Amino acid sequence: MLVKKAAGLLLRLALVGGCLVYAFWGIDFGQLWDTLLRYDDVALFWTTVFSFAGYGVMALRLNFLSGFAAGNWLCFKAFLMSMAVNNIVPAKLGELAKAFYLRRECRFSLSRSITMVFWERFFDLNAILAMGLVVAFHFKLKMAFVPLAGAVGGIWVALWIVRTYPDFVGRIIDRMPSNRLAEFLAELKLQVLHGVTPGFMIVLGLYTLVCWVFYASSTFLVLLWVAKMPLSWGQAAAVFVISSLGMAMPSSPGALGVFEAAVVFSLGLFGVDRSQALAAGLVLHMVQYIPVTVAGLLVLGKSGLSLRKIRESDEALEEAEG
């Protein structure tokens, strides 16, 4: 186990290090600073404010997944906290923090909370894949999204198997070595069999569409309004999709380094100077990183949870709650 964790850490460090070298290689820092000074401060302020509207839509979707039992305000705080944790610690622990928070505040089972997070992330992956395939075929980057397509397709096949062969899946669940994993899979199986109707899929898909429209709008505002780059809407969309893929990759907290490299790479496809591209990447990341992290840490501080407890098993968390 320790060897596996060490190998994973080394791979992430290598990825982040390589991305940082790529993003900053050959940069004229004087030009970079001059570019940042030319940005529209008023546009940057309102773009940052607008980003919280997108977080509000994310909260609406999470409340839908709770059966409207959690409430929009609680889901908004849960989302902010999960983003903050993801931005300061590795391994996407923010998703686990969100599940723990919902369990504590709503008295949900941990399995139910984790299942809600699963549907969030799964539909987000489908959104990235759908947008990515359009961009990939338009800009001839067809191989870029093959791994993601394989992962998403594999999950759809697994859900189909659960729906078609529930008894077989039940026997597999009974043999799971971890009780917590078995409970999560049992909850997911129950939802797939009885709760995942065509109506559920359509409504969740519509919520996800609105979430990603708001999320993409922040990128469009930074590139076209704050930075005033001479890009078409399609080119700005390509930058958004590629940078979102960088954010989704397991790497550094908040995808620091990886996100900037993705923006520099994608803007480079359209002939944008590296210094200008890096400036846009840094500002866009700042908009998506600093305000939500500060707000989320305030929620975390008032929640009674801690990063140490989130890292541990939920049994340790239960002891702390007791």
Side-chain angles (χ1 to χ4, degrees):
M1 180 65 73
L2 290 176
V3 173
K4 184 177 179 180
K5 286 185 177 181
L9 177 60
L10 287 174
L11 285 174
R12 287 197 298 271
L13 288 175
L15 172 64
V16 174
C19 287
L20 285 171
V21 170
Y22 173 80
F24 284 88
W25 188 265
I27 291 296
D28 183 331
F29 287 94
Q31 183 180 350
L32 174 66
W33 182 247
D34 289 341
T35 301
L36 291 171
L37 291 177
R38 288 196 299 269
Y39 280 4
D40 188 328
D41 294 337
V42 174
L44 180 59
F45 171 79
W46 286 112
T47 298
T48 303
V49 171
F50 175 81
S51 68
F52 278 84
Y55 305 148
V57 177
M58 297 284 188
L60 294 178
R61 181 178 64 170
L62 186 60
N63 192 28
F64 164 73
L65 288 170
S66 76
F68 301 104
N72 293 326
W73 177 241
L74 183 68
C75 289
F76 184 66
K77 292 190 291 182
F79 177 82
L80 293 178
M81 185 179 67
S82 70
M83 289 291 291
V85 174
N86 278 340
N87 284 343
I88 61 177
V89 296
K92 299 292 183 182
L93 284 179
E95 312 308 331
L96 190 59
K98 184 192 299 179
F100 283 159
Y101 184 71
L102 290 170
R103 183 185 69 165
R104 167 175 283 188
E105 298 297 323
C106 303
R107 302 301 177 188
F108 294 160
S109 68
L110 187 61
S111 300
R112 179 180 177 184
S113 298
I114 292 176
T115 303
M116 291 166 56
V117 174
F118 163 80
W119 287 115
E120 271 191 312
R121 296 288 73 80
F122 179 49
F123 268 68
D124 284 342
L125 287 175
N126 278 275
I128 294 176
L129 178 61
M131 294 182 295
L133 290 176
V134 173
V135 170
F137 278 88
H138 184 71
F139 295 104
K140 299 187 170 45
L141 299 168
K142 299 181 178 62
M143 296 302 294
F145 293 88
V146 168
L148 179 60
V152 172
I155 296 174
W156 277 113
V157 170
L159 293 175
W160 176 81
I161 291 173
V162 171
R163 185 91 177 186
T164 309
Y165 304 104
D167 294 337
F168 170 72
V169 172
R171 290 194 293 272
I172 293 177
I173 292 174
D174 291 339
R175 291 178 171 80
M176 287 291 108
S178 164
N179 289 335
R180 184 58 63 198
L181 177 60
E183 289 176 10
F184 161 65
L185 292 175
E187 177 75 27
L188 182 60
K189 174 191 169 187
L190 188 65
Q191 283 203 11
V192 170
L193 291 177
H194 304 291
V196 180
T197 62
F200 171 86
M201 291 290 193
I202 292 171
V203 173
L204 182 54
L206 290 174
Y207 270 113
T208 302
L209 174 62
V210 177
C211 287
W212 281 84
V213 167
F214 272 82
Y215 185 31
S217 297
S218 294
T219 299
F220 279 67
L221 288 172
V222 169
L223 296 178
L224 303 179
W225 188 24
V226 177
K228 294 181 171 60
M229 288 188 167
L231 300 172
S232 68
W233 287 84
Q235 290 170 337
V239 174
F240 166 70
V241 172
I242 295 173
S243 63
S244 297
L245 186 62
M247 284 290 285
M249 293 176 62
S251 54
S252 58
L256 292 172
V258 179
F259 180 86
E260 284 76 11
V263 173
V264 170
F265 168 77
S266 54
L267 285 173
L269 296 174
F270 312 118
V272 176
D273 175 80
R274 290 180 64 85
S275 296
Q276 294 182 17
L278 180 59
L282 290 171
V283 170
L284 179 57
H285 207 173
M286 180 189 71
V287 168
Q288 297 177 353
Y289 186 94
I290 296 177
V292 72
T293 301
V294 172
L297 287 177
L298 292 174
V299 175
L300 178 64
K302 294 181 179 180
S303 70
L305 298 174
S306 69
L307 293 177
R308 181 175 63 84
K309 292 301 179 185
I310 293 169
R311 287 175 180 273
E312 296 171 356
S313 66
D314 79 302
E315 286 80 11
L317 181 61
E318 287 173 353
E319 292 177 4
E321 290 174 339

